[in-house]
Amino acid sequence: MSRTPEQEAPGHAEAPDVGELTPPDRTLMGPGPSPVHPRVLRAMSTPLVGHLDPSFVEMMNETQELLRYTFRTDNQWTIPVSGTGSASMEAAIGNLVEPGETMLVPTNGYFGGRMASMARRAGGEVVEVDAPWGEPLDPADVEAAFEEHQPDVFGFVHAETSTGVLQPEVPELTSIAHDHDAYVIADSVTSLGGVELRVDEWDIDVAYSGPQKCLSCPPGASPLTLNDRAMDKVLDREEEPRSWYLDLSLLEGYWGDERAYHHTAPITNVYALREALRLVAEEGIENRWARHREVAGDLKAGLGELGLEMNADDEFWLPSLNAVRVPDGVDDGAVIDHLLSEHDLEIASGLGDLAGDIWRMGCMGHGARTKNVEFLLSALEEALDEQGYDA
Ligand SMILES: *Cc1c(COP(=O)(O)O)cnc(C)c1O
Protein backbone atom coordinates (compact mmCIF):
# COMPACT_ATOMS: atom_id res chain seq x y z
CA MET A 1 0.00 0.00 0.00
CA SER A 2 1.40 3.40 -0.92
CA ARG A 3 1.56 6.07 1.75
CA THR A 4 1.84 9.82 1.54
CA PRO A 5 5.00 11.27 3.12
CA GLU A 6 2.86 12.50 5.98
CA GLN A 7 1.56 9.00 6.71
CA GLU A 8 5.11 7.67 6.79
CA ALA A 9 6.08 10.10 9.53
CA PRO A 10 6.28 8.46 12.96
CA GLY A 11 3.05 8.66 14.90
CA HIS A 12 0.91 9.22 11.82
CA ALA A 13 -0.27 5.69 11.11
CA GLU A 14 -3.70 5.27 9.51
CA ALA A 15 -6.65 4.55 11.77
CA PRO A 16 -6.61 0.79 12.46
CA ASP A 17 -9.52 -1.09 10.96
CA VAL A 18 -10.71 -3.03 14.01
CA GLY A 19 -14.07 -4.78 13.91
CA GLU A 20 -16.89 -4.67 16.43
CA LEU A 21 -16.32 -6.56 19.67
CA THR A 22 -17.61 -10.13 19.37
CA PRO A 23 -16.11 -12.28 22.14
CA PRO A 24 -16.84 -16.01 21.84
CA ASP A 25 -19.59 -17.36 24.09
CA ARG A 26 -17.47 -19.44 26.47
CA THR A 27 -18.61 -21.51 29.41
CA LEU A 28 -16.03 -20.64 32.05
CA MET A 29 -15.26 -23.68 34.23
CA GLY A 30 -11.62 -22.90 35.00
CA PRO A 31 -9.96 -21.28 38.02
CA GLY A 32 -11.59 -17.91 37.29
CA PRO A 33 -13.04 -15.78 35.94
CA SER A 34 -16.29 -17.68 36.44
CA PRO A 35 -19.52 -17.15 34.46
CA VAL A 36 -21.13 -13.81 35.25
CA HIS A 37 -24.83 -13.66 36.16
CA PRO A 38 -26.89 -11.67 33.61
CA ARG A 39 -28.05 -9.35 36.38
CA VAL A 40 -24.45 -8.37 37.05
CA LEU A 41 -23.84 -7.69 33.36
CA ARG A 42 -26.98 -5.54 33.29
CA ALA A 43 -25.82 -3.58 36.34
CA MET A 44 -22.60 -2.85 34.44
CA SER A 45 -24.44 -1.24 31.55
CA THR A 46 -26.24 1.33 33.74
CA PRO A 47 -25.15 5.00 33.60
CA LEU A 48 -22.10 6.24 35.45
CA VAL A 49 -22.36 8.63 38.36
CA GLY A 50 -19.43 10.44 39.93
CA HIS A 51 -17.36 8.66 42.56
CA LEU A 52 -18.46 11.27 45.16
CA ASP A 53 -22.09 11.50 43.99
CA PRO A 54 -24.46 11.12 46.97
CA SER A 55 -26.10 8.20 45.17
CA PHE A 56 -22.71 6.49 44.83
CA VAL A 57 -21.87 7.09 48.49
CA GLU A 58 -25.10 5.24 49.30
CA MET A 59 -24.08 2.39 46.98
CA MET A 60 -20.67 2.24 48.68
CA ASN A 61 -22.34 1.83 52.07
CA GLU A 62 -24.61 -0.90 50.72
CA THR A 63 -21.69 -2.70 49.11
CA GLN A 64 -19.79 -2.62 52.41
CA GLU A 65 -22.82 -4.00 54.27
CA LEU A 66 -23.18 -6.81 51.73
CA LEU A 67 -19.45 -7.57 51.98
CA ARG A 68 -19.68 -7.83 55.77
CA TYR A 69 -22.56 -10.27 55.39
CA THR A 70 -20.62 -12.39 52.89
CA PHE A 71 -17.40 -12.42 54.95
CA ARG A 72 -19.44 -13.15 58.15
CA THR A 73 -17.91 -10.18 59.92
CA ASP A 74 -18.83 -6.99 61.73
CA ASN A 75 -15.52 -5.38 60.74
CA GLN A 76 -16.05 -1.70 60.01
CA TRP A 77 -12.99 -1.93 57.78
CA THR A 78 -14.54 -3.88 54.93
CA ILE A 79 -14.05 -2.44 51.45
CA PRO A 80 -13.61 -3.31 47.79
CA VAL A 81 -10.03 -2.51 46.71
CA SER A 82 -9.66 -1.15 43.17
CA GLY A 83 -7.98 -3.87 41.14
CA THR A 84 -7.95 -7.65 40.98
CA GLY A 85 -7.48 -10.10 43.85
CA SER A 86 -3.75 -9.43 43.78
CA ALA A 87 -4.49 -5.78 44.62
CA SER A 88 -6.45 -6.66 47.76
CA MET A 89 -3.70 -9.19 48.53
CA GLU A 90 -1.01 -6.53 48.22
CA ALA A 91 -3.11 -4.06 50.21
CA ALA A 92 -3.29 -6.63 53.04
CA ILE A 93 0.37 -7.62 53.02
CA GLY A 94 1.82 -4.22 52.10
CA ASN A 95 -0.01 -2.50 54.97
CA LEU A 96 0.30 -5.17 57.66
CA VAL A 97 3.95 -6.09 57.12
CA GLU A 98 6.36 -3.34 58.18
CA PRO A 99 10.02 -3.17 57.14
CA GLY A 100 12.09 -5.55 59.24
CA GLU A 101 9.08 -7.59 60.36
CA THR A 102 8.76 -11.28 59.63
CA MET A 103 5.95 -12.93 57.71
CA LEU A 104 5.31 -16.66 57.83
CA VAL A 105 3.98 -18.02 54.51
CA PRO A 106 2.97 -21.50 53.32
CA THR A 107 4.79 -23.43 50.56
CA ASN A 108 1.93 -25.80 49.68
CA GLY A 109 0.77 -23.96 46.56
CA TYR A 110 1.32 -21.21 44.07
CA PHE A 111 -0.22 -18.37 46.06
CA GLY A 112 1.96 -18.78 49.16
CA GLY A 113 4.84 -17.91 46.83
CA ARG A 114 3.06 -14.74 45.75
CA MET A 115 2.53 -13.83 49.43
CA ALA A 116 6.29 -14.19 49.96
CA SER A 117 7.12 -11.90 47.00
CA MET A 118 4.77 -9.24 48.30
CA ALA A 119 6.08 -9.45 51.87
CA ARG A 120 9.68 -9.02 50.62
CA ARG A 121 8.70 -5.98 48.56
CA ALA A 122 7.10 -4.53 51.69
CA GLY A 123 10.52 -4.78 53.34
CA GLY A 124 9.67 -7.86 55.38
CA GLU A 125 11.63 -11.01 56.06
CA VAL A 126 9.99 -14.21 54.87
CA VAL A 127 9.97 -17.53 56.68
CA GLU A 128 8.12 -20.62 55.52
CA VAL A 129 5.94 -23.40 56.83
CA ASP A 130 6.07 -26.43 54.54
CA ALA A 131 3.52 -28.87 53.27
CA PRO A 132 3.49 -30.69 49.91
CA TRP A 133 1.48 -29.26 47.02
CA GLY A 134 -1.87 -31.02 47.35
CA GLU A 135 -1.98 -31.03 51.14
CA PRO A 136 -3.10 -28.45 53.69
CA LEU A 137 -0.92 -27.03 56.47
CA ASP A 138 -0.62 -29.11 59.61
CA PRO A 139 -1.26 -27.00 62.74
CA ALA A 140 1.67 -28.77 64.45
CA ASP A 141 4.00 -27.50 61.71
CA VAL A 142 2.58 -23.99 62.06
CA GLU A 143 3.17 -24.15 65.82
CA ALA A 144 6.76 -25.31 65.25
CA ALA A 145 7.37 -22.51 62.75
CA PHE A 146 6.08 -19.98 65.30
CA GLU A 147 8.38 -21.37 68.00
CA GLU A 148 11.34 -21.21 65.66
CA HIS A 149 10.81 -17.85 63.93
CA GLN A 150 8.38 -15.77 66.04
CA PRO A 151 6.82 -14.16 62.95
CA ASP A 152 4.82 -10.92 63.22
CA VAL A 153 2.36 -11.84 60.48
CA PHE A 154 1.10 -15.25 59.37
CA GLY A 155 -0.48 -15.73 55.95
CA PHE A 156 -2.31 -18.82 54.79
CA VAL A 157 -4.39 -19.73 51.76
CA HIS A 158 -7.87 -20.90 52.71
CA ALA A 159 -8.71 -22.26 49.26
CA GLU A 160 -5.59 -23.02 47.20
CA THR A 161 -6.62 -22.61 43.57
CA SER A 162 -3.42 -24.23 42.29
CA THR A 163 -3.95 -27.55 44.12
CA GLY A 164 -7.69 -27.80 44.84
CA VAL A 165 -7.06 -28.02 48.58
CA LEU A 166 -9.24 -26.46 51.28
CA GLN A 167 -7.37 -25.58 54.48
CA PRO A 168 -9.26 -27.12 57.41
CA GLU A 169 -8.83 -26.24 61.11
CA VAL A 170 -8.66 -22.50 60.51
CA PRO A 171 -9.55 -21.58 64.13
CA GLU A 172 -6.64 -23.74 65.29
CA LEU A 173 -4.24 -21.85 63.03
CA THR A 174 -5.48 -18.42 64.11
CA SER A 175 -5.25 -19.35 67.79
CA ILE A 176 -1.62 -20.46 67.38
CA ALA A 177 -0.83 -17.12 65.74
CA HIS A 178 -2.62 -15.11 68.39
CA ASP A 179 -0.90 -17.00 71.22
CA HIS A 180 2.29 -15.63 69.66
CA ASP A 181 0.87 -12.09 69.28
CA ALA A 182 0.94 -12.33 65.49
CA TYR A 183 -1.60 -11.14 62.94
CA VAL A 184 -3.35 -13.52 60.56
CA ILE A 185 -3.97 -12.79 56.88
CA ALA A 186 -6.23 -15.25 55.06
CA ASP A 187 -6.30 -15.58 51.28
CA SER A 188 -9.99 -16.20 50.67
CA VAL A 189 -9.97 -15.47 46.94
CA THR A 190 -11.44 -18.86 45.97
CA SER A 191 -13.49 -19.39 49.13
CA LEU A 192 -15.48 -16.17 49.65
CA GLY A 193 -19.09 -16.83 48.63
CA GLY A 194 -18.35 -20.46 47.69
CA VAL A 195 -17.22 -22.41 50.75
CA GLU A 196 -17.71 -21.87 54.46
CA LEU A 197 -15.71 -18.88 55.67
CA ARG A 198 -16.38 -17.15 59.01
CA VAL A 199 -14.01 -14.26 59.50
CA ASP A 200 -15.14 -13.22 62.99
CA GLU A 201 -15.92 -16.63 64.45
CA TRP A 202 -12.59 -17.99 63.18
CA ASP A 203 -10.70 -14.97 64.50
CA ILE A 204 -9.10 -13.99 61.19
CA ASP A 205 -7.54 -10.50 61.42
CA VAL A 206 -7.41 -9.76 57.71
CA ALA A 207 -9.04 -11.53 54.77
CA TYR A 208 -8.73 -10.57 51.13
CA SER A 209 -10.59 -11.94 48.15
CA GLY A 210 -11.41 -11.39 44.49
CA PRO A 211 -14.72 -10.88 42.70
CA GLN A 212 -14.25 -13.19 39.72
CA LYS A 213 -14.17 -16.52 41.51
CA CYS A 214 -17.12 -17.63 43.68
CA LEU A 215 -18.84 -14.22 43.49
CA SER A 216 -19.14 -14.55 39.70
CA CYS A 217 -18.41 -10.92 39.03
CA PRO A 218 -15.91 -9.50 36.53
CA PRO A 219 -12.49 -8.66 38.00
CA GLY A 220 -11.91 -5.07 39.09
CA ALA A 221 -13.03 -4.42 42.68
CA SER A 222 -11.70 -6.88 45.26
CA PRO A 223 -13.06 -7.53 48.76
CA LEU A 224 -10.86 -6.85 51.79
CA THR A 225 -11.69 -6.87 55.49
CA LEU A 226 -9.59 -5.96 58.55
CA ASN A 227 -10.53 -6.09 62.21
CA ASP A 228 -9.78 -3.16 64.54
CA ARG A 229 -6.67 -4.83 65.88
CA ALA A 230 -5.18 -5.09 62.39
CA MET A 231 -6.32 -1.61 61.39
CA ASP A 232 -4.72 -0.18 64.55
CA LYS A 233 -1.42 -1.73 63.49
CA VAL A 234 -1.78 -0.19 60.04
CA LEU A 235 -2.60 3.26 61.44
CA ASP A 236 0.32 3.06 63.92
CA ARG A 237 2.96 2.30 61.29
CA GLU A 238 6.20 4.21 61.63
CA GLU A 239 6.93 4.14 57.91
CA GLU A 240 4.33 4.72 55.21
CA PRO A 241 3.43 1.65 53.16
CA ARG A 242 5.46 1.49 49.95
CA SER A 243 2.38 1.71 47.73
CA TRP A 244 0.58 5.05 47.74
CA TYR A 245 -2.33 3.59 45.77
CA LEU A 246 -2.97 0.80 48.28
CA ASP A 247 -2.19 2.75 51.47
CA LEU A 248 -5.14 1.87 53.72
CA SER A 249 -4.63 4.93 55.92
CA LEU A 250 -5.31 7.04 52.81
CA LEU A 251 -8.11 4.82 51.53
CA GLU A 252 -9.76 5.35 54.90
CA GLY A 253 -10.41 8.91 53.75
CA TYR A 254 -12.56 7.64 50.90
CA TRP A 255 -14.22 4.53 52.37
CA GLY A 256 -14.40 5.86 55.95
CA ASP A 257 -16.63 8.64 57.25
CA GLU A 258 -14.97 11.46 55.35
CA ARG A 259 -15.64 10.26 51.77
CA ALA A 260 -12.86 12.40 50.36
CA TYR A 261 -11.19 11.86 47.01
CA HIS A 262 -8.21 9.52 46.96
CA HIS A 263 -8.48 7.93 43.54
CA THR A 264 -11.47 7.53 41.24
CA ALA A 265 -13.25 4.34 42.23
CA PRO A 266 -13.99 1.90 39.38
CA ILE A 267 -17.69 2.85 39.47
CA THR A 268 -18.91 0.15 37.10
CA ASN A 269 -17.03 -2.56 38.96
CA VAL A 270 -18.58 -1.42 42.23
CA TYR A 271 -22.03 -1.64 40.59
CA ALA A 272 -21.14 -5.16 39.49
CA LEU A 273 -19.89 -6.22 42.88
CA ARG A 274 -22.95 -4.77 44.61
CA GLU A 275 -25.24 -6.76 42.31
CA ALA A 276 -23.17 -9.95 42.68
CA LEU A 277 -23.36 -9.57 46.47
CA ARG A 278 -27.08 -8.91 46.31
CA LEU A 279 -27.38 -12.31 44.63
CA VAL A 280 -25.43 -13.82 47.54
CA ALA A 281 -27.75 -12.21 50.08
CA GLU A 282 -30.87 -13.32 48.21
CA GLU A 283 -29.68 -16.90 48.10
CA GLY A 284 -28.40 -16.84 51.68
CA ILE A 285 -24.71 -17.40 52.35
CA GLU A 286 -25.15 -20.83 53.92
CA ASN A 287 -27.40 -22.01 51.09
CA ARG A 288 -24.74 -20.82 48.70
CA TRP A 289 -22.03 -22.85 50.45
CA ALA A 290 -24.35 -25.88 50.36
CA ARG A 291 -25.06 -25.40 46.64
CA HIS A 292 -21.35 -25.35 45.84
CA ARG A 293 -20.81 -28.56 47.83
CA GLU A 294 -23.75 -30.28 46.21
CA VAL A 295 -23.13 -29.31 42.58
CA ALA A 296 -19.36 -29.75 42.80
CA GLY A 297 -20.06 -33.06 44.54
CA ASP A 298 -21.91 -34.19 41.41
CA LEU A 299 -18.92 -33.10 39.33
CA LYS A 300 -16.55 -35.05 41.57
CA ALA A 301 -18.78 -38.14 41.37
CA GLY A 302 -18.99 -37.83 37.58
CA LEU A 303 -15.21 -37.53 37.30
CA GLY A 304 -14.91 -40.66 39.41
CA GLU A 305 -17.25 -42.48 37.02
CA LEU A 306 -14.90 -41.52 34.20
CA GLY A 307 -12.14 -43.24 36.17
CA LEU A 308 -10.42 -39.98 37.05
CA GLU A 309 -8.78 -39.24 40.37
CA MET A 310 -8.91 -36.03 42.38
CA ASN A 311 -5.62 -34.40 43.32
CA ALA A 312 -6.62 -33.64 46.89
CA ASP A 313 -7.62 -36.12 49.53
CA ASP A 314 -11.40 -36.20 50.01
CA GLU A 315 -10.95 -34.66 53.45
CA PHE A 316 -9.44 -31.50 51.95
CA TRP A 317 -11.53 -31.35 48.77
CA LEU A 318 -12.25 -27.82 47.64
CA PRO A 319 -15.69 -27.68 45.95
CA SER A 320 -14.99 -24.41 44.14
CA LEU A 321 -11.84 -25.74 42.46
CA ASN A 322 -11.63 -29.35 41.45
CA ALA A 323 -8.09 -30.46 40.70
CA VAL A 324 -8.16 -33.70 38.72
CA ARG A 325 -5.17 -35.89 37.90
CA VAL A 326 -4.40 -36.32 34.20
CA PRO A 327 -4.42 -40.09 33.48
CA ASP A 328 -1.31 -41.74 32.03
CA GLY A 329 -1.05 -41.46 28.28
CA VAL A 330 -3.42 -38.49 28.01
CA ASP A 331 -2.16 -35.12 26.78
CA ASP A 332 -3.59 -32.55 29.20
CA GLY A 333 -3.19 -29.67 26.74
CA ALA A 334 -4.97 -31.53 23.92
CA VAL A 335 -8.00 -32.09 26.14
CA ILE A 336 -8.07 -28.42 27.15
CA ASP A 337 -7.81 -27.38 23.49
CA HIS A 338 -10.55 -29.81 22.46
CA LEU A 339 -12.96 -28.48 25.08
CA LEU A 340 -12.31 -24.91 24.02
CA SER A 341 -12.41 -25.37 20.27
CA GLU A 342 -15.25 -27.92 20.09
CA HIS A 343 -17.39 -26.84 23.02
CA ASP A 344 -16.45 -23.25 23.89
CA LEU A 345 -15.69 -24.63 27.33
CA GLU A 346 -12.78 -23.41 29.44
CA ILE A 347 -10.88 -25.45 32.01
CA ALA A 348 -7.23 -24.95 32.99
CA SER A 349 -3.99 -26.87 33.33
CA GLY A 350 -1.87 -27.22 36.45
CA LEU A 351 0.42 -24.47 37.76
CA GLY A 352 3.95 -24.69 39.19
CA ASP A 353 4.74 -28.07 40.77
CA LEU A 354 1.56 -29.56 39.25
CA ALA A 355 1.98 -28.34 35.65
CA GLY A 356 1.08 -31.20 33.31
CA ASP A 357 -0.21 -33.37 36.17
CA ILE A 358 -3.69 -31.98 36.76
CA TRP A 359 -6.62 -30.17 35.22
CA ARG A 360 -8.32 -27.46 37.21
CA MET A 361 -12.10 -27.29 36.95
CA GLY A 362 -13.84 -24.47 38.69
CA CYS A 363 -17.33 -24.80 40.08
CA MET A 364 -17.85 -21.25 41.19
CA GLY A 365 -20.80 -18.95 41.72
CA HIS A 366 -23.09 -18.83 38.71
CA GLY A 367 -21.03 -21.69 37.24
CA ALA A 368 -21.95 -23.99 40.13
CA ARG A 369 -25.06 -25.28 38.37
CA THR A 370 -26.09 -28.79 37.38
CA LYS A 371 -26.40 -27.74 33.75
CA ASN A 372 -22.74 -26.65 33.63
CA VAL A 373 -21.53 -29.78 35.37
CA GLU A 374 -23.42 -32.09 33.01
CA PHE A 375 -22.06 -30.16 30.05
CA LEU A 376 -18.49 -30.37 31.34
CA LEU A 377 -18.71 -34.10 32.08
CA SER A 378 -20.08 -35.01 28.66
CA ALA A 379 -17.62 -32.79 26.79
CA LEU A 380 -14.76 -34.19 28.85
CA GLU A 381 -15.80 -37.77 28.15
CA GLU A 382 -15.71 -36.99 24.44
CA ALA A 383 -12.31 -35.27 24.66
CA LEU A 384 -10.85 -38.20 26.58
CA ASP A 385 -12.28 -40.63 24.07
CA GLU A 386 -10.55 -38.68 21.30
CA GLN A 387 -7.29 -39.28 23.19
CA GLY A 388 -7.87 -43.02 23.18
CA TYR A 389 -8.64 -43.07 26.90
CA ASP A 390 -11.07 -45.77 27.96
CA ALA A 391 -13.17 -44.67 30.93
C1 LIG B 1 -6.95 -15.83 41.68
C2 LIG B 1 -6.22 -15.86 42.96
C3 LIG B 1 -5.44 -14.79 43.43
C4 LIG B 1 -5.14 -13.57 42.60
O1 LIG B 1 -6.23 -12.92 42.11
P1 LIG B 1 -6.17 -12.10 40.74
O2 LIG B 1 -7.56 -11.60 40.62
O3 LIG B 1 -5.76 -13.03 39.67
O4 LIG B 1 -5.20 -10.99 40.91
C5 LIG B 1 -4.88 -14.89 44.69
N1 LIG B 1 -5.05 -15.98 45.47
C6 LIG B 1 -5.77 -17.04 45.05
C7 LIG B 1 -5.93 -18.23 45.95
C8 LIG B 1 -6.37 -17.02 43.78
O5 LIG B 1 -7.07 -18.08 43.37
Side-chain angles (χ1 to χ4, degrees):
M1 198 186 355
S2 74
R3 285 165 175 260
T4 64
E6 198 173 84
Q7 282 169 330
E8 276 163 20
H12 282 73
E14 283 176 63
D17 181 18
V18 174
E20 198 184 330
L21 186 71
T22 52
D25 186 11
R26 306 284 200 218
T27 300
L28 299 171
M29 297 296 279
S34 60
V36 177
H37 195 286
R39 262 174 54 185
V40 174
L41 291 175
R42 277 203 298 278
M44 295 185 81
S45 60
T46 55
L48 278 206
V49 295
H51 61 284
L52 295 172
D53 190 291
S55 68
F56 192 66
V57 169
E58 183 62 30
M59 287 181 238
M60 289 164 72
N61 290 337
E62 291 162 347
T63 305
Q64 289 181 283
E65 263 313 299
L66 288 162
L67 277 177
R68 290 185 190 104
Y69 170 75
T70 307
F71 270 124
R72 312 311 293 136
T73 185
D74 294 327
N75 289 342
Q76 188 205 339
W77 257 91
T78 305
I79 64 169
V81 174
S82 304
T84 70
S86 301
S88 62
M89 180 175 188
E90 196 145 32
I93 296 171
N95 281 274
L96 253 285
V97 177
E98 298 179 58
E101 288 189 344
T102 302
M103 180 168 179
L104 177 65
V105 304
T107 61
N108 61 340
Y110 180 85
F111 290 101
R114 186 172 293 185
M115 280 185 168
S117 303
M118 289 180 176
R120 280 193 203 98
R121 282 167 194 238
E125 304 284 326
V126 170
V127 291
E128 293 174 337
V129 49
D130 294 325
W133 280 51
E135 284 179 30
L137 296 179
D138 182 335
D141 294 336
V142 173
E143 175 71 51
F146 264 94
E147 294 296 335
E148 187 180 348
H149 304 292
Q150 298 295 330
D152 304 283
V153 177
F154 166 51
F156 76 93
V157 181
H158 184 217
E160 195 22 283
T161 322
S162 64
T163 62
V165 169
L166 179 69
Q167 177 68 49
E169 300 162 318
V170 173
E172 235 178 288
L173 301 184
T174 58
S175 100
I176 294 167
H178 292 144
D179 286 346
H180 291 81
D181 286 329
Y183 295 80
V184 177
I185 300 179
D187 180 317
S188 61
V189 177
T190 295
S191 58
L192 181 70
V195 300
E196 184 179 14
L197 169 70
R198 300 179 185 275
V199 166
D200 285 4
E201 202 178 310
W202 295 353
D203 226 358
I204 294 167
D205 299 299
V206 181
Y208 62 81
S209 190
Q212 79 275 19
K213 312 253 171 138
C214 301
L215 298 178
S216 274
C217 179
S222 296
L224 173 70
T225 188
L226 294 87
N227 62 16
D228 287 345
R229 178 169 173 264
M231 199 57 193
D232 285 348
K233 182 181 195 312
V234 170
L235 296 176
D236 282 349
R237 286 176 63 106
E238 265 171 40
E239 203 178 291
E240 291 172 334
R242 294 187 175 177
S243 167
W244 176 88
Y245 193 69
L246 298 173
D247 182 339
L248 291 174
S249 71
L250 300 179
L251 287 174
E252 190 199 10
Y254 183 53
W255 286 96
D257 294 337
E258 212 180 323
R259 304 285 154 144
Y261 171 68
H262 174 257
H263 68 265
T264 310
I267 313 291
T268 304
N269 291 92
V270 175
Y271 291 174
L273 184 61
R274 180 182 175 281
E275 192 62 24
L277 294 168
R278 246 162 55 83
L279 285 161
V280 174
E282 282 172 26
E283 181 173 9
I285 187 71
E286 303 206 347
N287 293 337
R288 195 174 172 99
W289 297 336
R291 169 167 62 86
H292 279 78
R293 260 197 324 274
E294 211 168 289
V295 176
D298 291 343
L299 174 61
K300 182 155 69 88
L303 293 166
E305 278 164 27
L306 291 175
L308 301 174
E309 222 181 291
M310 303 299 285
N311 182 55
D313 216 80
D314 220 24
E315 223 182 316
F316 318 123
W317 166 62
L318 173 59
S320 48
L321 195 285
N322 295 268
V324 187
R325 301 208 71 85
V326 178
D328 286 342
V330 171
D331 176 349
D332 65 318
V335 169
I336 291 171
D337 292 348
H338 179 97
L339 295 180
L340 194 70
S341 62
E342 302 301 315
H343 299 281
D344 266 320
L345 176 57
E346 180 182 282
I347 64 164
S349 58
L351 272 181
D353 282 11
L354 292 170
D357 295 342
I358 60 167
W359 289 296
R360 293 182 302 145
M361 303 175 190
C363 196
M364 304 180 180
H366 190 52
R369 283 179 295 158
T370 301
K371 171 180 152 187
N372 288 41
V373 163
E374 285 172 355
F375 177 40
L376 172 53
L377 287 170
S378 74
L380 184 65
E381 184 169 10
E382 183 197 288
L384 287 168
D385 195 47
E386 184 112 318
Q387 286 278 304
Y389 171 82
D390 189 12

